[in-house]
Amino acid sequence: ILQSLDLEEKEVNNDLCLPHALNNQWVKLTQQQIRCFKLLLLGKTAKDIAQDMNLSFRTIQHYTATIYERLGLKNSRELIARYSYLTFN
């Protein structure tokens, strides 16, 4: 499921919770947002993620904007820099 080098995240009822980039409060992501988050960590573009998840490009744009907002990030580069320590099985 989820392993971390720093143990800075947790799972609650199969939902992924991550620390906010600015205040370290726990942020819960939906299952679809988690899938999108994992693909963003791999460096995939919104277009690639839309194809992988069989969703529209616009839906993925909405997911990524929501993820960035919830985590206090501006873009995928910040997401990768902040959460690159995560590994997923």
Side-chain angles (χ1 to χ4, degrees):
I1 300 252
L2 175 68
Q3 296 176 342
S4 163
L5 300 176
D6 295 354
L7 299 176
E8 288 187 12
E9 67 294 319
K10 61 183 177 178
E11 281 187 281
V12 177
N13 299 328
N14 252 356
D15 291 326
L16 179 65
C17 295
L18 296 163
H20 189 278
L22 303 175
N23 61 23
N24 280 335
Q25 291 183 345
W26 291 111
V27 176
K28 183 178 170 181
L29 300 179
T30 67
Q31 291 299 313
Q32 287 290 76
Q33 290 168 347
I34 293 167
R35 290 181 64 206
C36 187
F37 174 85
K38 289 177 181 180
L39 294 169
L40 287 167
L41 272 181
L42 294 174
K44 295 209 175 203
T45 65
K47 184 178 178 181
D48 293 335
I49 294 169
Q51 290 175 344
D52 289 353
M53 293 179 66
N54 199 27
L55 296 170
S56 75
F57 173 73
R58 185 68 188 113
T59 299
I60 298 305
Q61 285 183 313
H62 175 72
Y63 285 169
T64 56
T66 301
I67 291 166
Y68 299 153
E69 182 181 342
R70 285 189 178 179
L71 295 175
L73 305 169
K74 294 180 185 171
N75 54 45
S76 61
R77 286 186 297 274
E78 286 187 0
L79 183 139
I80 291 168
R82 174 75 169 106
Y83 300 101
S84 62
Y85 65 89
L86 295 175
T87 58
F88 297 94
N89 292 335

